[in-house]
Amino acid sequence: MRKVMLILPAVALSVLASTGVAQAEQAPGCAGTVQIGSTGYIKKGSTVIASVKQFKGCGKNWAYTYVWDSYAAQPGGYSSSAAMVVNGDRDFNSNVNGRNKQDVWSKPTATLTKCTRAYGEVWGDGNVYWGQTDERC
């Protein structure tokens, strides 16, 4: 019975690790970031391929895109991006692209007093998939 109890936590950890969900996000250059709002998802059909989150800290906002392991492992490579949407308009100055990079942070925006959401994209098979978080005002 004791062996079974030790094996089950190991199996649970293995399942959690294989989902590809980012765990310890920290914006570049700001150790005090915290997620605000809900997590958004990027889907290819009905399959989730990436997560999108919005963070605040150090007087700024960041968008964060994390490509899940299941999509990142596909042959042919992929690109991903993260950008902020401010007052309903995509802030292209905040956009950052990554080639075969599972986690991408946008450039920070000084928009804590504005309505914002995080926006992310993944592409690489001839299609662009995108998702965003809820809006935070």
Side-chain angles (χ1 to χ4, degrees), residues 27-135:
C30 181
T33 53
V34 294
Q35 182 178 348
I36 57 174
S38 63
T39 300
Y41 296 98
I42 300 173
K43 294 182 178 183
K44 177 180 179 180
S46 61
T47 303
V48 175
I49 61 172
S51 303
V52 182
K53 298 180 180 183
Q54 181 178 183
F55 288 82
K56 72 174 183 176
C58 302
K60 305 208 183 284
N61 290 92
W62 282 266
Y64 175 74
T65 301
Y66 182 81
V67 179
W68 288 22
D69 294 341
S70 55
Y71 189 84
Q74 306 251 337
Y78 64 94
S79 293
S80 54
S81 69
M84 291 300 301
V85 175
V86 181
N87 292 331
D89 294 318
R90 188 165 164 193
D91 181 350
F92 288 96
N93 291 325
S94 71
N95 192 76
V96 172
N97 295 328
R99 177 77 182 137
N100 292 326
K101 190 172 177 188
Q102 279 192 270
D103 60 334
V104 177
W105 286 93
S106 71
K107 293 177 187 169
T109 59
T111 54
L112 290 177
T113 60
K114 299 181 180 181
C115 295
T116 57
R117 67 177 68 231
Y119 175 87
E121 288 183 346
V122 176
W123 64 97
D125 61 2
N127 296 297
V128 176
Y129 308 101
W130 63 275
Q132 56 190 348
T133 64
D134 61 330
E135 187 172 64

